[in-house]
Amino acid sequence: MCQLLNSVDGTLSLLNKLTFYAFPTKTSEFLHPKSSPYLGNKTAKRWRFRGVRSLSLQGGSEAADHVKSSNKFKTNCCDEGEMEPFPHVQTLRKFPKEELVGKVVMVRFDSTNLLREEEQDQSSQSVSSAVFTIKYLHEAGAKIILVSDWRKKTNSQLHDAETVADMLSSVIQHRVVTIKCDYSAVLLKMEVLKKADIFLLENLSEYKEEVANNSKFAELLSSGVDIFVNDSFSQSHKILASTVGIARFCSACIAGFHFEESLCQLKKVARTNKRPYVAIIGGGNLYDKASALHFLVSRCDGLVFVGMMSFQIMHALGLSVPSYLVEPGAYKAALDIIQIAHDRNIPILHPMDFWCMNEHLPEKMDIFPSHHILDGWLPVDLGPRSLDELNSLLVKCKKILWIGPVKFKFSGQCADGASKLAQALNDLRQRNCDITVAGNMACQAMVMESKSVLVNDMIENASVLWEFFKGRKLPGVMALDRAYPFEIDWKSAYCNPAQPLVVDIGSGSGLFLLGMARRRKDLNFLGLEINSKLVRRCMDSVHQYGIQNGYFIVTNATTTFRSIVSSYPGELVLVSIQCPNPDFNNPEHRWRMLQRSLIKAVVDLLALDGKVFLQSDLEAVALRMKELFLKIGKGKLNLWNDQYHARMNLGEWLEENPFGVMSDWEQHVIDRGDPMYRLMLSKSSGIE
């Protein structure tokens, strides 16, 4: 085997340099906010007195004990400081366009965007980006299958799939044909897809398997589908068959243009790059949103409560609140929020007065102080003093988040307070204040006040934002392929980024690359692995052993290999794929590694005389890999050193590992006495 390694030496002078750490995303700016009080003006002090300082009104041992417990929470929340950064996901914008030609692409679209009843909404930027996703795929030569759920509350004209198809045809400007969910993959490809280029599946809201994320239903949806494009960000907080389950059965799962824009909006809200940053909190259910509010109070410079949650804050402060307005179980959660704000010296604000409706004479309205609402009167909207004080505070802010409706239990759909707040925010936006509005009612109020409001200032589904603030991973985002920043700082990854590069696709626990990196200091090694836990362990080993010629990336190499490796400044001299999932070519498995796009990228980027090393403990899998590489790489790849194989009587397979370094699975197979099936391919310009 020394002969083999030496003969590949010119090409395999290739292997050195590892540095195992994922490129950091700059989250520190919003994970560790400064504690200096930006809102130290007279208005803030007035509001602060109505808020945090009123904690002393509670008295008694219960409040004191709870303050101690909330200090412990505050330490965990603010000082522990590690919320997992946003994952980089593969997007349609960066996906190789040539790989879309002739592919069957399923697009999960957002019905609230594309099927709205209001004409003015059809020209909005969110609709434009959703339409652009479909048009982009069509122009690229893909067969498109659209899928979503819709209800009449979105549009009263939505009767059946045919009606929806006609509406989409009008919006997209291309003919859309309906199909059912019971086609087999063969029928779908061979017969149905000949009829048109864009298809619409039946209404998903009619299938209980959709909400249950039923695996068989997800597989049925994916029948005949090559690539899945998620363009429904509003559903990303849910686990659905059409957003999460389907990802297991498609070779590539990527974000559409609307999804990508919405994810950027979420990142924007999380940043505290402009100060003071104040969050205006509407709606109710404080207990359910407590962890999200902890996130906000630990990062913002003030919280303003304008909905039902304001009564829970007032109750925790010891103010008089009618019992029917008190949310069960929210008292201690509200105390936590107040204490964290007190420790950070930031204001917690609540309304000072309300418009109230007479319970027996609904047409009779009057204004009451927030702490003295008389019996028989029901709060319906913010009072004038509250709005004046709020405007005085907001004018000092550089960044504002408004999330949730200015709406109370007894108010109508449209509250005047919401309109006045939207007016104030629109004025501030024109003065270069960074405004983000979340929630349908809040967004509608902003749109009614200003037709020029930008879509990247709005997140229509507040539930997605609340789930993110709770520190939860969004299932719809996590189901997409892990991508990597477009620009990689190779100088940070390797001591000498000009050295030849070796890439191990599916690097697993990294034993092969780590061993090779120690032996070959003249080469750089890159491991591409989809399992983030394994990559973290590998990077720990890199740092522990001081390896400077190795690096590992969390990614799905199927869709990101080309974008990652093409930016490397040196030559790609060796690619290894070792023991992939034994069922990698089974549609039931998402990790179908050897797709045409990956093989073509490997062949295109490989240096002349570069090598591809393939091995598996299953002969059928090894044969399949060999056939695909030779077929797709025809004219460029051939079996390395046929004469050597014949002279050594090796037949089709290499008897031993040519590098003398085994992967963990290879070692396991050898230890149990089973054979490994290995081969080496070489790139040459002389083969036609």
Side-chain angles (χ1 to χ4, degrees):
M1 287 301 103
C2 292
Q3 181 180 354
L4 175 61
L5 189 56
N6 290 336
S7 61
V8 207
D9 214 39
T11 304
L12 287 185
S13 291
L14 350 144
L15 307 145
N16 193 314
K17 235 179 190 179
L18 260 168
T19 312
F20 273 59
Y21 58 89
F23 284 96
T25 303
K26 294 183 179 178
T27 57
S28 58
E29 27 178 77
F30 66 85
L31 293 179
H32 301 283
K34 298 178 180 178
S35 59
S36 56
Y38 288 87
L39 301 172
N41 52 70
K42 293 181 180 179
T43 301
K45 289 180 180 177
R46 266 200 312 276
W47 279 87
R48 188 180 296 124
F49 176 78
R50 301 288 293 165
V52 174
R53 289 186 181 177
S54 297
L55 182 65
S56 60
L57 296 175
Q58 284 297 328
S61 61
E62 182 181 356
D65 291 342
H66 196 73
V67 166
K68 293 178 182 178
S69 66
S70 64
N71 279 333
K72 180 179 179 181
F73 172 83
K74 184 248 182 189
T75 301
N76 292 336
C77 177
C78 302
D79 297 336
E80 183 178 293
E82 280 305 326
M83 168 176 276
E84 184 168 341
F86 291 94
H88 294 279
V89 299
Q90 180 71 357
T91 64
L92 185 58
R93 187 184 312 276
K94 294 181 180 178
F95 190 82
K97 195 170 185 179
E98 62 272 14
E99 297 301 328
L100 299 170
V101 180
K103 295 293 177 63
V104 178
V105 180
M106 176 166 282
V107 178
R108 207 317 183 170
F109 70 92
D110 188 346
S111 61
T112 59
N113 272 334
L114 292 184
L115 302 178
R116 288 177 177 172
E117 196 162 9
E118 299 89 347
E119 290 184 7
Q120 65 269 24
D121 287 335
Q122 296 298 335
S123 60
S124 71
Q125 188 174 334
S126 59
V127 175
S128 299
S129 58
V131 171
F132 184 56
T133 294
I134 300 170
K135 288 188 173 183
Y136 180 89
L137 290 167
H138 181 264
E139 292 172 2
K143 292 283 186 177
I144 305 167
I145 301 174
L146 303 176
V147 60
S148 188
D149 57 342
W150 56 84
R151 294 172 178 81
K152 287 191 176 180
K153 70 177 183 180
T154 303
N155 189 330
S156 59
Q157 301 176 15
L158 302 180
H159 302 295
D160 51 30
E162 284 72 22
T163 305
V164 174
D166 291 341
M167 185 176 299
L168 288 172
S169 298
S170 175
V171 173
I172 301 170
Q173 301 286 303
H174 290 287
R175 178 170 171 252
V176 179
V177 177
T178 59
I179 55 176
K180 295 185 178 294
C181 291
D182 55 359
Y183 284 96
S184 69
V186 176
L187 287 175
L188 190 61
K189 282 190 171 182
M190 301 306 295
E191 297 178 14
V192 181
L193 295 186
K194 295 179 181 178
K195 298 180 180 179
D197 291 328
I198 306 178
F199 302 86
L200 173 69
L201 279 182
E202 296 169 289
N203 189 355
L204 290 179
S205 63
E206 298 176 1
Y207 294 89
K208 61 182 180 182
E209 296 90 346
E210 159 73 349
V211 178
N213 189 27
N214 182 273
S215 180
K216 290 185 178 179
F217 182 69
E219 184 176 10
L220 175 63
L221 286 177
S222 67
S223 296
V225 174
D226 299 306
I227 299 169
F228 170 61
V229 175
N230 191 347
D231 215 26
S232 181
F233 187 78
S234 66
Q235 303 295 319
S236 60
H237 62 302
K238 299 178 181 179
I239 302 176
L240 305 174
S242 65
T243 60
V244 176
I246 191 173
R248 296 176 51 211
F249 306 103
C250 300
S251 61
C253 304
I254 59 183
F257 293 108
H258 174 63
F259 194 104
E260 181 185 6
E261 288 178 359
S262 300
L263 192 57
C264 288
Q265 294 167 15
L266 200 62
K267 296 177 182 179
K268 170 189 168 187
V269 172
R271 295 192 202 101
T272 55
N273 54 325
K274 291 186 177 181
R275 313 297 286 262
Y277 179 12
V278 166
I280 304 171
I281 313 296
N285 301 318
L286 184 143
Y287 180 79
D288 292 337
K289 297 170 182 172
S291 58
L293 294 170
H294 292 151
F295 175 90
L296 288 171
V297 77
S298 66
R299 288 155 176 79
C300 294
D301 303 306
L303 263 59
V304 183
F305 289 89
V306 295
M308 286 298 295
M309 277 189 268
S310 60
F311 294 109
Q312 318 319 316
I313 296 295
M314 287 188 285
H315 178 56
L317 291 169
L319 300 178
S320 176
V321 174
S323 59
Y324 61 86
L325 295 174
V326 176
E327 178 189 329
Y331 175 74
K332 290 187 177 181
L335 272 181
D336 267 338
I337 296 164
I338 292 169
Q339 183 60 44
I340 297 172
H342 175 74
D343 292 343
R344 294 193 63 231
N345 195 26
I346 65 170
I348 290 282
L349 306 112
H350 59 75
M352 305 185 73
D353 59 349
F354 294 100
W355 278 103
C356 296
M357 174 184 71
N358 189 286
E359 187 175 3
H360 304 291
L361 299 171
E363 69 280 359
K364 189 174 181 180
M365 303 281 289
D366 205 344
I367 301 171
F368 290 92
S370 58
H371 62 285
H372 192 60
I373 300 175
L374 297 180
D375 292 341
W377 290 85
L378 308 174
V380 295
D381 202 355
L382 295 175
R385 187 180 174 194
S386 296
L387 287 170
D388 289 343
E389 294 283 355
L390 178 57
N391 289 341
S392 297
L393 172 71
L394 296 182
V395 75
K396 311 290 193 305
C397 298
K398 298 298 183 183
K399 182 168 183 172
I400 300 170
L401 165 67
W402 174 17
I403 178 171
V406 180
K407 184 175 183 292
F408 300 95
K409 198 177 288 186
F410 313 101
S411 59
Q413 286 296 317
C414 295
D416 190 48
S419 175
K420 291 182 177 178
L421 177 56
Q423 291 175 20
L425 293 180
N426 186 53
D427 291 341
L428 291 171
R429 184 175 64 87
Q430 294 177 5
R431 298 178 198 172
N432 204 30
C433 181
D434 190 340
I435 307 289
T436 301
V437 180
N440 287 327
M441 294 185 67
C443 289
Q444 288 173 12
M446 286 296 292
V447 170
M448 289 180 67
E449 292 304 321
S450 173
K451 301 298 181 183
S452 64
V453 63
L454 300 176
V455 68
N456 56 6
D457 291 337
M458 298 191 295
I459 300 174
E460 294 190 355
N461 192 335
S463 297
V464 177
L465 193 54
W466 283 121
E467 289 299 299
F468 166 71
F469 285 157
K470 290 176 184 178
R472 298 174 182 172
K473 296 178 180 178
L474 300 176
V477 176
M478 302 309 296
L480 298 176
D481 291 335
R482 297 286 77 76
Y484 214 66
F486 184 74
E487 294 182 1
I488 299 178
D489 185 1
W490 294 108
K491 291 182 180 179
S492 298
Y494 300 112
C495 181
N496 182 2
Q499 291 185 156
L501 180 68
V502 175
V503 179
D504 189 24
I505 300 176
S507 53
S509 62
L511 293 185
F512 173 73
L513 278 192
L514 291 170
M516 291 294 290
R518 290 172 182 161
R519 292 190 176 196
R520 299 298 304 268
K521 304 295 185 182
D522 56 326
L523 303 170
N524 287 338
F525 295 86
L526 176 64
L528 305 180
E529 171 57 47
I530 202 165
N531 188 319
S532 59
K533 290 183 179 180
L534 293 178
V535 169
R536 282 197 293 270
R537 292 173 190 169
C538 290
M539 293 304 296
D540 288 342
S541 297
V542 167
H543 294 306
Q544 180 180 354
Y545 297 110
I547 298 174
Q548 296 184 340
N549 60 330
Y551 198 87
F552 290 80
I553 292 176
V554 182
T555 187
N556 179 359
T558 301
T559 55
T560 61
F561 181 92
R562 186 183 294 274
S563 62
I564 291 173
V565 178
S566 61
S567 66
Y568 183 74
E571 286 189 327
L572 174 65
V573 293
L574 175 66
V575 175
S576 64
I577 301 177
Q578 305 184 53
C579 304
N581 188 313
D583 294 323
F584 76 95
N585 58 345
N586 189 321
E588 291 185 2
H589 291 266
R590 178 185 178 195
W591 323 118
R592 294 183 295 169
M593 187 183 295
L594 286 190
Q595 295 298 309
R596 174 178 291 272
S597 58
L598 173 60
I599 296 175
K600 193 171 186 304
V602 170
V603 174
D604 290 346
L605 297 176
L606 198 63
L608 189 63
D609 291 329
K611 303 296 185 291
V612 178
F613 176 59
L614 307 172
Q615 73 168 343
S616 174
D617 56 322
L618 296 180
E619 187 173 16
V621 172
L623 281 171
R624 173 72 170 161
M625 290 194 292
K626 171 191 172 184
E627 291 169 359
L628 285 173
F629 266 97
L630 290 177
K631 179 181 178 181
I632 297 171
K634 186 178 181 181
K636 294 183 179 179
L637 290 180
N638 69 323
L639 191 63
W640 177 81
N641 209 332
D642 286 317
Q643 294 181 352
Y644 174 77
H645 275 246
R647 185 172 69 253
M648 300 297 293
N649 196 26
L650 294 177
E652 194 167 14
W653 310 114
L654 294 173
E655 191 172 300
E656 297 178 13
N657 186 316
F659 307 106
V661 179
M662 295 187 184
S663 67
D664 54 339
W665 185 252
E666 180 183 5
Q667 185 65 61
H668 172 72
V669 172
I670 297 300
D671 289 345
R672 73 187 184 193
D674 291 337
M676 289 295 296
Y677 301 92
R678 312 178 183 91
L679 69 144
M680 189 87 74
L681 301 175
S682 180
K683 182 175 180 180
S684 171
S685 61
I687 300 174
E688 299 297 335

